[in-house]
Amino acid sequence: MLRCTFWLAVSLTATAFAADLPIREVILYKHGVGYFERAGELKAGETARIDFKAADMNDVLKSLTITDRNGGKIGSVRYDASEPLQKRLEDFPFAVGNESSLAVFLDQMKGSRLELKMGTDTISGTIVSARMIRATDRAEKETVMLLNDAGEMRAFDLAVASSVKLSDPKLQALLKDYLGVLSQSRSKDRRGVTIESAGSAVRQLIASYMTPAAVWKSSYRLIFGAQDEPTLEGWAIIDNTTGDDWDNVRLSVVSGKPISFITRLYEPRYVQRPEAELAENRAEAPRLFGGAVGALRAEPAPPAALAMRKAEQNVAQDRLGGRETLPSSIASTAEGRDAGELFEYSFAGPVTVKKGESAMLPFVQQKVNTRKLLIYSENFGLHPMDAAEITNSTGKTLDGGPITVYDANTYAGEALVETLKAGDKRLISYGVDLGTRVTTAWDSAREVVREIHLRRGVLTTRAAVEEVKTYTMKNVDAKAKTVIIEHTQRAGFKLLNQKPSETTANAYRFEVKLGPSASEAFGVHEERVVDQTVSISSMTPDLLATFIQNKALSEAGRRQLEQIAQKKREIADNDGALKRTESDLNDLVQDQGRIRSNIQSLNSVSGQQEAVQQYARQLAGVETKLAGLRDSQSLLRRKKGALESELNSLMEKTDF
């Protein structure tokens, strides 16, 4: 009985009453955090405690703000340390185990003053020891041995004492702190932030902070009526995973993605400091000096020490035939406003979402400018997609999300839409139109040279190839349709004499009217321009002639190219003459060698003097011709050099 009474009394003494700061406002964002505001009254001497998940403490310490509506000052803000329980308890001079008795605890207090209330008497003394002893009936009892002021040591049965008190106020405070640490550790995942007020006035506290929160989601219904503009209905889906109830809170959801990150502020951070010491404080070591052997020489210095990281959406094709599809009866009460670069929806009435619960709240229900059409891209295959062009005429930013489309009182399909700013428009596709077929065909024209330029001997031609992609559409339904053709942009190609209805980052969009039970062919004309360069020195006169005759060449350019072509022809003629001369020279040299061989053979035969004379006359004639041909060869070579110099000069000067 005493043991329970002791611990209950100490625990009640160690626990302070804290003011309640319930959640009053919640703002949910799209990037994984939420804004929370708590408010309440803090009386003089009171503290307010807010519990958080341990993983949320970094964000709390980064964003917590505390204000007083009355203009007062806050005394201090304390929070539970992140150290493990065992580490936090190490600094206390005693320990209380799960199965510890009062005697075991008091035995750790040897030398401390203790007060026991025995009936009407109060006994005090210094603790000598405390034990569990076995009585005669084999029952155990707790006793404490005290040294009184008279120097007597006496044992007391703790079961008889009605109260036990440590006389030293410091030990009492330590015990309270110890029990407070144990109390806080009961919730291993919770950490407390304690707010204290300064002065004696009553405080009207507001505490706001950001912590991780489930991302809110958007869900839309697009309902086409018989005649009126379709209605767009938007719902915000929210999840309360914070561990606290949201009772009658002001709730807002924000569209946009501000930058947010985690900075580790909660865990203690230590810096390894270098050791530094004055050289004069170091003791001198003994030195040994060797004997001299020879001449003095310098010893090499020792080396210096080295110094020190899409989800595929399954579209249901269920039909709701036979029922009239009307907007939801729950009217939207959310007010929208721009919040800097973001957009905020604030729900007018208070909202209650218990912890672990989720809710759907309507944030828009308005008529929107929308027209039905078809959209086709070649990767769709044979059929275009049922689509709608939505212009955001709500005056609000529409957050991205799925859209369920109802048409003619039935389910028509589903789509996804990105975040849509006020006044912007977007295409959505929600089904396949089996009543329209589209085929495509390519046609290309031959390459046509558009421009010819020559500068410093380099000829540049700019040629273009025209390509046509023809979309042939057949409407088998007895109603007119509008088809948006999405034609992919290709690198190096540009449109010819056509203007798309709009252009995306990678496609042109063309709008084509398709009559009832009719066919229509629509061609997209593009051209590809290619630049080619070639050195004019490597071109033959015949090849140059093809460029001279090209209509894309200017008159000045034609005259300059003709001069170059003429000079190339002169060089070619000179090269031909030089080649013939060199051939003749080779033939005569061979004849000369043959004649000399004959003369040499005949000189060794008697009676061949006349034949030798004849060969000698032939040899003289050959040598005369050789001399003339060598002179011609030299002249042709000099002429070739002059012509090439003139050609180079022409090419250097040519510019068109």
Side-chain angles (χ1 to χ4, degrees), residues 407-469:
D407 189 11
N409 299 329
T410 189
Y411 168 84
E414 298 173 7
L416 280 173
V417 67
E418 296 175 332
T419 298
L420 197 60
K421 291 285 189 178
D424 197 4
K425 71 177 180 180
R426 194 78 80 246
L427 287 171
I428 63 168
S429 59
Y430 54 87
V432 178
D433 180 33
L434 301 178
T436 306
R437 295 188 291 272
V438 183
T439 58
T440 60
W442 283 99
D443 184 24
S444 299
R446 67 182 181 86
E447 186 175 78
V448 178
V449 177
R450 296 279 180 83
E451 297 179 25
I452 302 175
H453 301 282
L454 180 62
R455 182 175 178 82
R456 301 185 67 84
V458 177
L459 186 70
T460 302
T461 61
R462 175 164 292 178
V465 177
E466 183 177 339
E467 294 188 359
V468 181
K469 186 174 185 179

Side-chain angles (χ1 to χ4, degrees), residues 230-487:
T231 299
L232 184 68
E233 185 178 287
W235 293 78
I237 300 173
I238 61 175
D239 306 286
N240 182 0
T241 59
T242 62
D244 293 295
D245 292 335
W246 300 346
D247 290 321
N248 296 322
V249 301
R250 300 187 303 275
L251 180 64
S252 301
V253 291
V254 175
S255 175
K257 289 188 177 181
I259 293 175
S260 183
F261 51 86
I262 296 174
T263 300
R264 298 195 176 279
L265 302 175
Y266 185 48
E267 295 85 355
R269 186 180 299 170
Y270 301 95
V271 176
Q272 186 67 34
R273 296 176 298 159
E275 293 184 4
E277 185 180 356
L278 291 173
E280 61 190 36
N281 293 333
R282 291 196 294 265
E284 289 291 331
R287 300 182 182 182
L288 297 178
F289 299 93
V293 175
L296 295 177
R297 63 186 181 88
E299 292 292 332
L306 297 177
M308 343 209 248
R309 158 165 53 132
K310 244 179 182 183
E312 285 185 0
Q313 179 188 9
N314 295 321
V315 179
Q317 298 298 328
D318 303 330
R319 298 187 61 84
L320 307 176
R323 279 183 275 173
E324 183 179 7
T325 305
L326 297 173
S328 300
S329 299
I330 302 176
S332 170
T333 58
E335 295 181 357
R337 69 177 185 90
D338 287 317
E341 297 300 320
L342 311 176
F343 193 85
E344 179 179 358
Y345 287 100
S346 299
F347 297 95
V351 175
T352 296
V353 184
K354 299 295 184 181
K355 59 184 177 183
E357 291 184 350
S358 300
M360 288 178 60
L361 302 172
F363 63 90
V364 66
Q365 191 180 58
Q366 291 179 237
K367 301 290 185 181
V368 289
N369 295 332
T370 305
R371 61 174 182 145
K372 289 192 292 185
L373 40 78
L374 304 179
I375 186 169
Y376 179 79
S377 181
E378 192 168 27
N379 57 8
F380 291 174
L382 183 62
H383 301 285
M385 304 292 290
D386 289 317
E389 183 186 71
I390 301 175
T391 300
N392 185 2
S393 55
T394 64
K396 307 171 183 177
T397 295
L398 298 177
D399 189 68
I403 299 179
T404 301
V405 180
Y406 296 95
D407 189 11
N409 299 329
T410 189
Y411 168 84
E414 298 173 7
L416 280 173
V417 67
E418 296 175 332
T419 298
L420 197 60
K421 291 285 189 178
D424 197 4
K425 71 177 180 180
R426 194 78 80 246
L427 287 171
I428 63 168
S429 59
Y430 54 87
V432 178
D433 180 33
L434 301 178
T436 306
R437 295 188 291 272
V438 183
T439 58
T440 60
W442 283 99
D443 184 24
S444 299
R446 67 182 181 86
E447 186 175 78
V448 178
V449 177
R450 296 279 180 83
E451 297 179 25
I452 302 175
H453 301 282
L454 180 62
R455 182 175 178 82
R456 301 185 67 84
V458 177
L459 186 70
T460 302
T461 61
R462 175 164 292 178
V465 177
E466 183 177 339
E467 294 188 359
V468 181
K469 186 174 185 179
T470 303
Y471 295 83
T472 303
M473 295 159 280
K474 182 175 180 58
N475 181 11
V476 300
D477 292 329
K479 61 179 180 179
K481 300 176 181 178
T482 298
V483 182
I484 297 292
I485 294 176
E486 197 166 70
H487 180 83

Side-chain angles (χ1 to χ4, degrees), residues 128-168:
V128 177
S129 66
R131 293 287 184 270
M132 293 282 296
I133 62 174
R134 189 177 301 280
T136 55
D137 57 355
R138 296 187 179 182
E140 291 184 339
K141 65 178 181 178
E142 297 177 286
T143 63
V144 61
M145 181 76 70
L146 296 181
L147 176 65
N148 62 21
D149 296 337
E152 299 175 338
M153 289 189 294
R154 296 181 57 189
F156 298 93
D157 187 353
L158 291 175
V160 180
S162 59
S163 72
V164 179
K165 180 182 177 182
L166 293 170
S167 301
D168 189 350

